[in-house]
Amino acid sequence: MTETVGVHPLAGFDKLLHYKVPESLRAQLQVGSLVRIPIVNRFHLGIVAEFSAPKDFPVERCKPLAGLVYPFPALPPDLLRLSHWMSAYYAAGLDAIIEAMLPVAVRKAAALKKEKLLAPAVPPGLPGAPTDDEIAVLTKRAPAQAKVFAFLVSQPRPVAKSLVLDRLNVTAAAINGLINRGWVREQTRRVERIAYDDAHSVGEHVAAQPHKLNSEQQAAVDVLTPLLSTAEPKFGVQLLFGVTGSGKTEVYLRAIQTALAAGGGVAFLVPEVALTPQTVARLRSRLEAIAPGHRCVVWHSHLSEGERLDGWLALATGEARVVVGARSAVFAPVQNLRLIVVDEEHEPAYKQDEVPRYHGRDTAIMRAKMAGAVCLLGSATPSLETWANASSGKYGLLTLTQRIDDRKLPFIDIVDMRVECMQQRGPATLSKRLVEGMRARMARGEQTILFINRRGYSSAMQCRKCGHVEECPHCSVSMTYHRADEMLRCHMCGHQSNAPARCPACAAPDIKWRGTGTQRVEEAVRRVMPNARLERIDSDTMAKKHRFREILGDFRAGKIDILVGTQMIAKGLDFPNVTLVGLVDADLSMHVPDFRANERTFQLLVQVAGRSGRGDRAGEVVVQTFTPEAGAIQFSRHADFTGFAETELKVRREFGYPPARHLLHHLFRGPNPEKLQFFAEQWKNRVAAALGDKVTLAGPAAAPIEKIKDEYRWQLWYFCNAPVTGIVAEIGKLRADFAWPEDMVQVLDVDPVNLC
Ligand code: ADP
Ligand code: ZN
């Protein structure tokens, strides 16, 4: 072993520095250890990357490490390898990746918070415990000590010293007196702040006992069990493709149980923080029932620093072996990782939209690869990327076609809003069909949910008469309307035309910018049903965690008739009394300038339908649209994912969109539009000259939102065949050599997910 190590400093730059290892640290130091290092005349933290000697200067000049923060590696080998892959794949600095992997409190090297616990040295009644006489004497001589002792004896378990001091209003001397007397024992234990202890309050009825598997679930479990219990863990990806309500969770739980029994660790990823309490509640109670002594660590971005640190420590030390959380839980230091579950793998929320711009699902697959674990992806509507991999045999495919207890999928009623607007003689928000449905539900004491698509994008043009939407002839995405110069532009290729005054398809004059917000729907419902108990959930309510839970609690308790909200509430929640679901404006997700618009619409429709009729009553879904003939709507009517996927994949291949090729997005921002365009074009020419045979470029074009806060935005697209890493590296080199003007900011996004 060399006497020096290469360390990645956590100091805001990306460089490997070398240090001598002092004798005292030699035994404990490992690759992945978090260490204190001197840089110039300050101390920083760093991660040991390798045992090696510096190449460009003599070992004697290395300074010694100043200390080791934890006796275990802060980044186990699989995470360290993952950080290198991410840095190359997502074109991000290693320091930014390592920063994302370590909780803030760890990066600050916060000391373990320790607490002193007090308990009687010998439990009362056992030989050696103080006698009644001895206690009577103490009560006379030292009443404070007697008070403390009586309190500790009355408690079922050890009590924090701070609590004793606080509660009994005594001094530390009284406690020390008892300790010196040998009556009380003091022990030090790390304090855990367990997040989401109130998880059960969400109201989900949790089945603690395992269900008896149906034959499809059993078949899936039979494939997973040997993969998770082999002596030699092996990497593999399995897709659990199961219709809504088919019991995917039960399959996940069995897989987790098997992985734990084999001595492994588990990471369970969910897309939305808001849903974590419910998932955690289910997981917890089931794990406690099937694997006593196992604790779930909760992991998501809304935890306090302390909560995060506790969970991180529990996992890093191997004390806890299961983590459940949102995207960043993929970085939790689970030891001996054997299984990563990615629930609702198709969700765009898995993509992080700031540096490092990683995709949680893809990163989970790579982590599983580095750790030799199984990655289990689950969805009722898999992403087409995943579906293509499952179809080609790269991933295993496990299918659940039946809903539990053969519950029927709800009837989907498509309402043509063109007809509705004609009948109502003007713009209609709610169709007659939907209003009648809501009234009938209210009369029967049943509930309704109305969904509005959050990704509403008001710059598409849609004819209210015939439903026509202008698309780019080259790119198969909606054109974007730019108000400033009355133009329609394609933000993929830059194609442009004058915004028409009349509909190009039917010549109707009524071609409008559209968009229905949750508030407008709420008003419309109040107008027609003034007595309905109505609540609205949107991003404002979501921000207040307690308000959100309160509304869901009230809804579950039957105190609300109609819930209006974005598709946030379409996910995962299970309300047995909801028998009608309305999708107020299906077109909002379909006509956005994003080649995944159809896929998102299909996912939304299936998800929304899955929310209706989960109890024993049949459900109904009303979908309002100006384009009822669209494929995404017709296929979803029969919950025909395979049919949809086949048709959509054909379009993707034709235009070369993912998964046919990889897509990279390059955004340029700056105060001067002409300069921005000029340099974007220069850069494009440079890339085309250097990489023209490997990359197809589209643009540069104005971004769909051309200007934000006085900054103009242009963008360029790269279509490339795998492997992407090499191309990203070449682009990176060109980018470093290019003379960018100072006031121009540019951002590269690999495998972008939200294109508008
Ligand atoms: P999915 O995630 O596929 O939409 P869930 O896992 O939420 O479906 O399961 C739907 C419902 O069926 C849940 O209430 C679950 O407890 C129940 N369930 C799952 N498996 C079984 C089973 N084998 N027998 C009875 N009920 C089951
Ligand atoms: Zn185009």
mmCIF file with all atom_site columns, all heavy atoms in Angstrom, residues 106-124:
data_model
loop_
_atom_site.group_PDB
_atom_site.id
_atom_site.type_symbol
_atom_site.label_atom_id
_atom_site.label_alt_id
_atom_site.label_comp_id
_atom_site.label_asym_id
_atom_site.label_entity_id
_atom_site.label_seq_id
_atom_site.pdbx_PDB_ins_code
_atom_site.Cartn_x
_atom_site.Cartn_y
_atom_site.Cartn_z
_atom_site.occupancy
_atom_site.B_iso_or_equiv
_atom_site.pdbx_formal_charge
_atom_site.auth_seq_id
_atom_site.auth_comp_id
_atom_site.auth_asym_id
_atom_site.auth_atom_id
_atom_site.pdbx_PDB_model_num
ATOM 1   N N   . VAL A 1 106 ? -23.561 15.716 6.500  1.00 0.00 ? 106 VAL A N   1
ATOM 2   C CA  . VAL A 1 106 ? -22.348 14.911 6.381  1.00 0.00 ? 106 VAL A CA  1
ATOM 3   C C   . VAL A 1 106 ? -21.237 15.767 5.781  1.00 0.00 ? 106 VAL A C   1
ATOM 4   O O   . VAL A 1 106 ? -20.093 15.715 6.218  1.00 0.00 ? 106 VAL A O   1
ATOM 5   C CB  . VAL A 1 106 ? -22.608 13.668 5.503  1.00 0.00 ? 106 VAL A CB  1
ATOM 6   C CG1 . VAL A 1 106 ? -21.309 12.923 5.234  1.00 0.00 ? 106 VAL A CG1 1
ATOM 7   C CG2 . VAL A 1 106 ? -23.633 12.767 6.158  1.00 0.00 ? 106 VAL A CG2 1
ATOM 8   N N   . ARG A 1 107 ? -21.627 16.590 4.788  1.00 0.00 ? 107 ARG A N   1
ATOM 9   C CA  . ARG A 1 107 ? -20.623 17.446 4.163  1.00 0.00 ? 107 ARG A CA  1
ATOM 10  C C   . ARG A 1 107 ? -20.053 18.444 5.168  1.00 0.00 ? 107 ARG A C   1
ATOM 11  O O   . ARG A 1 107 ? -18.942 18.901 5.035  1.00 0.00 ? 107 ARG A O   1
ATOM 12  C CB  . ARG A 1 107 ? -21.234 18.171 2.974  1.00 0.00 ? 107 ARG A CB  1
ATOM 13  C CG  . ARG A 1 107 ? -21.202 17.321 1.734  1.00 0.00 ? 107 ARG A CG  1
ATOM 14  C CD  . ARG A 1 107 ? -21.712 18.092 0.564  1.00 0.00 ? 107 ARG A CD  1
ATOM 15  N NE  . ARG A 1 107 ? -23.130 17.894 0.368  1.00 0.00 ? 107 ARG A NE  1
ATOM 16  C CZ  . ARG A 1 107 ? -23.984 18.872 0.151  1.00 0.00 ? 107 ARG A CZ  1
ATOM 17  N NH1 . ARG A 1 107 ? -23.579 20.120 0.141  1.00 0.00 ? 107 ARG A NH1 1
ATOM 18  N NH2 . ARG A 1 107 ? -25.250 18.606 -0.042 1.00 0.00 ? 107 ARG A NH2 1
ATOM 19  N N   . LYS A 1 108 ? -20.866 18.791 6.145  1.00 0.00 ? 108 LYS A N   1
ATOM 20  C CA  . LYS A 1 108 ? -20.359 19.679 7.192  1.00 0.00 ? 108 LYS A CA  1
ATOM 21  C C   . LYS A 1 108 ? -19.661 18.877 8.272  1.00 0.00 ? 108 LYS A C   1
ATOM 22  O O   . LYS A 1 108 ? -19.246 19.413 9.280  1.00 0.00 ? 108 LYS A O   1
ATOM 23  C CB  . LYS A 1 108 ? -21.525 20.424 7.843  1.00 0.00 ? 108 LYS A CB  1
ATOM 24  C CG  . LYS A 1 108 ? -22.161 21.478 6.990  1.00 0.00 ? 108 LYS A CG  1
ATOM 25  C CD  . LYS A 1 108 ? -23.141 22.227 7.892  1.00 0.00 ? 108 LYS A CD  1
ATOM 26  C CE  . LYS A 1 108 ? -24.111 23.042 7.092  1.00 0.00 ? 108 LYS A CE  1
ATOM 27  N NZ  . LYS A 1 108 ? -25.365 23.207 7.862  1.00 0.00 ? 108 LYS A NZ  1
ATOM 28  N N   . ALA A 1 109 ? -19.659 17.557 8.103  1.00 0.00 ? 109 ALA A N   1
ATOM 29  C CA  . ALA A 1 109 ? -19.087 16.658 9.095  1.00 0.00 ? 109 ALA A CA  1
ATOM 30  C C   . ALA A 1 109 ? -19.656 16.914 10.467 1.00 0.00 ? 109 ALA A C   1
ATOM 31  O O   . ALA A 1 109 ? -18.937 17.010 11.460 1.00 0.00 ? 109 ALA A O   1
ATOM 32  C CB  . ALA A 1 109 ? -17.570 16.775 9.122  1.00 0.00 ? 109 ALA A CB  1
ATOM 33  N N   . ALA A 1 110 ? -20.968 17.009 10.542 1.00 0.00 ? 110 ALA A N   1
ATOM 34  C CA  . ALA A 1 110 ? -21.625 17.218 11.826 1.00 0.00 ? 110 ALA A CA  1
ATOM 35  C C   . ALA A 1 110 ? -21.298 16.049 12.744 1.00 0.00 ? 110 ALA A C   1
ATOM 36  O O   . ALA A 1 110 ? -21.259 14.911 12.315 1.00 0.00 ? 110 ALA A O   1
ATOM 37  C CB  . ALA A 1 110 ? -23.126 17.306 11.618 1.00 0.00 ? 110 ALA A CB  1
ATOM 38  N N   . ALA A 1 111 ? -21.061 16.363 13.978 1.00 0.00 ? 111 ALA A N   1
ATOM 39  C CA  . ALA A 1 111 ? -20.761 15.314 14.943 1.00 0.00 ? 111 ALA A CA  1
ATOM 40  C C   . ALA A 1 111 ? -22.018 14.484 15.147 1.00 0.00 ? 111 ALA A C   1
ATOM 41  O O   . ALA A 1 111 ? -23.128 14.958 14.987 1.00 0.00 ? 111 ALA A O   1
ATOM 42  C CB  . ALA A 1 111 ? -20.328 15.939 16.250 1.00 0.00 ? 111 ALA A CB  1
ATOM 43  N N   . LEU A 1 112 ? -21.825 13.225 15.492 1.00 0.00 ? 112 LEU A N   1
ATOM 44  C CA  . LEU A 1 112 ? -22.978 12.403 15.820 1.00 0.00 ? 112 LEU A CA  1
ATOM 45  C C   . LEU A 1 112 ? -23.613 13.026 17.052 1.00 0.00 ? 112 LEU A C   1
ATOM 46  O O   . LEU A 1 112 ? -22.939 13.334 18.018 1.00 0.00 ? 112 LEU A O   1
ATOM 47  C CB  . LEU A 1 112 ? -22.565 10.980 16.186 1.00 0.00 ? 112 LEU A CB  1
ATOM 48  C CG  . LEU A 1 112 ? -21.635 10.233 15.250 1.00 0.00 ? 112 LEU A CG  1
ATOM 49  C CD1 . LEU A 1 112 ? -21.609 8.772  15.641 1.00 0.00 ? 112 LEU A CD1 1
ATOM 50  C CD2 . LEU A 1 112 ? -22.046 10.388 13.817 1.00 0.00 ? 112 LEU A CD2 1
ATOM 51  N N   . LYS A 1 113 ? -24.908 13.190 17.009 1.00 0.00 ? 113 LYS A N   1
ATOM 52  C CA  . LYS A 1 113 ? -25.542 13.736 18.183 1.00 0.00 ? 113 LYS A CA  1
ATOM 53  C C   . LYS A 1 113 ? -25.746 12.599 19.177 1.00 0.00 ? 113 LYS A C   1
ATOM 54  O O   . LYS A 1 113 ? -26.408 11.618 18.889 1.00 0.00 ? 113 LYS A O   1
ATOM 55  C CB  . LYS A 1 113 ? -26.877 14.374 17.832 1.00 0.00 ? 113 LYS A CB  1
ATOM 56  C CG  . LYS A 1 113 ? -27.424 15.135 19.018 1.00 0.00 ? 113 LYS A CG  1
ATOM 57  C CD  . LYS A 1 113 ? -28.701 15.865 18.699 1.00 0.00 ? 113 LYS A CD  1
ATOM 58  C CE  . LYS A 1 113 ? -29.287 16.382 20.002 1.00 0.00 ? 113 LYS A CE  1
ATOM 59  N NZ  . LYS A 1 113 ? -30.730 16.372 19.984 1.00 0.00 ? 113 LYS A NZ  1
ATOM 60  N N   . LYS A 1 114 ? -25.144 12.750 20.338 1.00 0.00 ? 114 LYS A N   1
ATOM 61  C CA  . LYS A 1 114 ? -25.240 11.682 21.327 1.00 0.00 ? 114 LYS A CA  1
ATOM 62  C C   . LYS A 1 114 ? -26.122 12.152 22.447 1.00 0.00 ? 114 LYS A C   1
ATOM 63  O O   . LYS A 1 114 ? -26.188 13.329 22.768 1.00 0.00 ? 114 LYS A O   1
ATOM 64  C CB  . LYS A 1 114 ? -23.849 11.364 21.874 1.00 0.00 ? 114 LYS A CB  1
ATOM 65  C CG  . LYS A 1 114 ? -22.946 10.826 20.791 1.00 0.00 ? 114 LYS A CG  1
ATOM 66  C CD  . LYS A 1 114 ? -22.171 9.641  21.277 1.00 0.00 ? 114 LYS A CD  1
ATOM 67  C CE  . LYS A 1 114 ? -21.341 9.020  20.177 1.00 0.00 ? 114 LYS A CE  1
ATOM 68  N NZ  . LYS A 1 114 ? -19.941 9.389  20.273 1.00 0.00 ? 114 LYS A NZ  1
ATOM 69  N N   . GLU A 1 115 ? -26.793 11.220 23.098 1.00 0.00 ? 115 GLU A N   1
ATOM 70  C CA  . GLU A 1 115 ? -27.621 11.583 24.226 1.00 0.00 ? 115 GLU A CA  1
ATOM 71  C C   . GLU A 1 115 ? -27.355 10.598 25.350 1.00 0.00 ? 115 GLU A C   1
ATOM 72  O O   . GLU A 1 115 ? -27.140 9.417  25.119 1.00 0.00 ? 115 GLU A O   1
ATOM 73  C CB  . GLU A 1 115 ? -29.086 11.558 23.816 1.00 0.00 ? 115 GLU A CB  1
ATOM 74  C CG  . GLU A 1 115 ? -29.962 12.192 24.865 1.00 0.00 ? 115 GLU A CG  1
ATOM 75  C CD  . GLU A 1 115 ? -31.303 12.574 24.280 1.00 0.00 ? 115 GLU A CD  1
ATOM 76  O OE1 . GLU A 1 115 ? -32.030 11.655 23.878 1.00 0.00 ? 115 GLU A OE1 1
ATOM 77  O OE2 . GLU A 1 115 ? -31.612 13.768 24.218 1.00 0.00 ? 115 GLU A OE2 1
ATOM 78  N N   . LYS A 1 116 ? -27.395 11.132 26.580 1.00 0.00 ? 116 LYS A N   1
ATOM 79  C CA  . LYS A 1 116 ? -27.190 10.254 27.725 1.00 0.00 ? 116 LYS A CA  1
ATOM 80  C C   . LYS A 1 116 ? -28.539 9.750  28.197 1.00 0.00 ? 116 LYS A C   1
ATOM 81  O O   . LYS A 1 116 ? -29.494 10.517 28.334 1.00 0.00 ? 116 LYS A O   1
ATOM 82  C CB  . LYS A 1 116 ? -26.490 11.020 28.844 1.00 0.00 ? 116 LYS A CB  1
ATOM 83  C CG  . LYS A 1 116 ? -25.108 11.508 28.424 1.00 0.00 ? 116 LYS A CG  1
ATOM 84  C CD  . LYS A 1 116 ? -24.140 11.505 29.586 1.00 0.00 ? 116 LYS A CD  1
ATOM 85  C CE  . LYS A 1 116 ? -22.709 11.457 29.126 1.00 0.00 ? 116 LYS A CE  1
ATOM 86  N NZ  . LYS A 1 116 ? -22.266 12.695 28.482 1.00 0.00 ? 116 LYS A NZ  1
ATOM 87  N N   . LEU A 1 117 ? -28.606 8.448  28.432 1.00 0.00 ? 117 LEU A N   1
ATOM 88  C CA  . LEU A 1 117 ? -29.845 7.844  28.909 1.00 0.00 ? 117 LEU A CA  1
ATOM 89  C C   . LEU A 1 117 ? -29.641 7.359  30.334 1.00 0.00 ? 117 LEU A C   1
ATOM 90  O O   . LEU A 1 117 ? -28.559 6.911  30.705 1.00 0.00 ? 117 LEU A O   1
ATOM 91  C CB  . LEU A 1 117 ? -30.218 6.641  28.046 1.00 0.00 ? 117 LEU A CB  1
ATOM 92  C CG  . LEU A 1 117 ? -30.560 6.925  26.582 1.00 0.00 ? 117 LEU A CG  1
ATOM 93  C CD1 . LEU A 1 117 ? -30.860 5.629  25.859 1.00 0.00 ? 117 LEU A CD1 1
ATOM 94  C CD2 . LEU A 1 117 ? -31.739 7.876  26.482 1.00 0.00 ? 117 LEU A CD2 1
ATOM 95  N N   . LEU A 1 118 ? -30.700 7.454  31.135 1.00 0.00 ? 118 LEU A N   1
ATOM 96  C CA  . LEU A 1 118 ? -30.628 7.018  32.531 1.00 0.00 ? 118 LEU A CA  1
ATOM 97  C C   . LEU A 1 118 ? -31.633 5.901  32.780 1.00 0.00 ? 118 LEU A C   1
ATOM 98  O O   . LEU A 1 118 ? -32.733 5.913  32.234 1.00 0.00 ? 118 LEU A O   1
ATOM 99  C CB  . LEU A 1 118 ? -30.957 8.185  33.457 1.00 0.00 ? 118 LEU A CB  1
ATOM 100 C CG  . LEU A 1 118 ? -30.072 9.421  33.322 1.00 0.00 ? 118 LEU A CG  1
ATOM 101 C CD1 . LEU A 1 118 ? -30.619 10.560 34.174 1.00 0.00 ? 118 LEU A CD1 1
ATOM 102 C CD2 . LEU A 1 118 ? -28.628 9.090  33.716 1.00 0.00 ? 118 LEU A CD2 1
ATOM 103 N N   . ALA A 1 119 ? -31.223 4.940  33.623 1.00 0.00 ? 119 ALA A N   1
ATOM 104 C CA  . ALA A 1 119 ? -32.128 3.856  34.009 1.00 0.00 ? 119 ALA A CA  1
ATOM 105 C C   . ALA A 1 119 ? -31.669 3.336  35.363 1.00 0.00 ? 119 ALA A C   1
ATOM 106 O O   . ALA A 1 119 ? -30.503 3.495  35.725 1.00 0.00 ? 119 ALA A O   1
ATOM 107 C CB  . ALA A 1 119 ? -32.080 2.747  32.971 1.00 0.00 ? 119 ALA A CB  1
ATOM 108 N N   . PRO A 1 120 ? -32.571 2.704  36.122 1.00 0.00 ? 120 PRO A N   1
ATOM 109 C CA  . PRO A 1 120 ? -32.134 2.089  37.377 1.00 0.00 ? 120 PRO A CA  1
ATOM 110 C C   . PRO A 1 120 ? -31.043 1.067  37.069 1.00 0.00 ? 120 PRO A C   1
ATOM 111 O O   . PRO A 1 120 ? -31.146 0.341  36.076 1.00 0.00 ? 120 PRO A O   1
ATOM 112 C CB  . PRO A 1 120 ? -33.396 1.393  37.895 1.00 0.00 ? 120 PRO A CB  1
ATOM 113 C CG  . PRO A 1 120 ? -34.535 2.042  37.182 1.00 0.00 ? 120 PRO A CG  1
ATOM 114 C CD  . PRO A 1 120 ? -34.003 2.500  35.865 1.00 0.00 ? 120 PRO A CD  1
ATOM 115 N N   . ALA A 1 121 ? -29.995 1.018  37.911 1.00 0.00 ? 121 ALA A N   1
ATOM 116 C CA  . ALA A 1 121 ? -28.894 0.089  37.667 1.00 0.00 ? 121 ALA A CA  1
ATOM 117 C C   . ALA A 1 121 ? -29.391 -1.345 37.742 1.00 0.00 ? 121 ALA A C   1
ATOM 118 O O   . ALA A 1 121 ? -28.988 -2.195 36.944 1.00 0.00 ? 121 ALA A O   1
ATOM 119 C CB  . ALA A 1 121 ? -27.767 0.328  38.672 1.00 0.00 ? 121 ALA A CB  1
ATOM 120 N N   . VAL A 1 122 ? -30.272 -1.606 38.652 1.00 0.00 ? 122 VAL A N   1
ATOM 121 C CA  . VAL A 1 122 ? -30.872 -2.933 38.782 1.00 0.00 ? 122 VAL A CA  1
ATOM 122 C C   . VAL A 1 122 ? -32.385 -2.736 38.786 1.00 0.00 ? 122 VAL A C   1
ATOM 123 O O   . VAL A 1 122 ? -32.891 -1.910 39.544 1.00 0.00 ? 122 VAL A O   1
ATOM 124 C CB  . VAL A 1 122 ? -30.464 -3.610 40.115 1.00 0.00 ? 122 VAL A CB  1
ATOM 125 C CG1 . VAL A 1 122 ? -31.067 -5.009 40.202 1.00 0.00 ? 122 VAL A CG1 1
ATOM 126 C CG2 . VAL A 1 122 ? -28.951 -3.648 40.242 1.00 0.00 ? 122 VAL A CG2 1
ATOM 127 N N   . PRO A 1 123 ? -33.106 -3.428 37.938 1.00 0.00 ? 123 PRO A N   1
ATOM 128 C CA  . PRO A 1 123 ? -34.558 -3.234 37.923 1.00 0.00 ? 123 PRO A CA  1
ATOM 129 C C   . PRO A 1 123 ? -35.167 -3.543 39.288 1.00 0.00 ? 123 PRO A C   1
ATOM 130 O O   . PRO A 1 123 ? -34.713 -4.468 39.966 1.00 0.00 ? 123 PRO A O   1
ATOM 131 C CB  . PRO A 1 123 ? -35.036 -4.250 36.873 1.00 0.00 ? 123 PRO A CB  1
ATOM 132 C CG  . PRO A 1 123 ? -33.842 -4.542 36.038 1.00 0.00 ? 123 PRO A CG  1
ATOM 133 C CD  . PRO A 1 123 ? -32.653 -4.382 36.940 1.00 0.00 ? 123 PRO A CD  1
ATOM 134 N N   . PRO A 1 124 ? -36.173 -2.754 39.693 1.00 0.00 ? 124 PRO A N   1
ATOM 135 C CA  . PRO A 1 124 ? -36.769 -2.936 41.017 1.00 0.00 ? 124 PRO A CA  1
ATOM 136 C C   . PRO A 1 124 ? -37.282 -4.360 41.186 1.00 0.00 ? 124 PRO A C   1
ATOM 137 O O   . PRO A 1 124 ? -37.776 -4.971 40.248 1.00 0.00 ? 124 PRO A O   1
ATOM 138 C CB  . PRO A 1 124 ? -37.924 -1.927 41.038 1.00 0.00 ? 124 PRO A CB  1
ATOM 139 C CG  . PRO A 1 124 ? -38.128 -1.508 39.612 1.00 0.00 ? 124 PRO A CG  1
ATOM 140 C CD  . PRO A 1 124 ? -36.830 -1.702 38.918 1.00 0.00 ? 124 PRO A CD  1
#
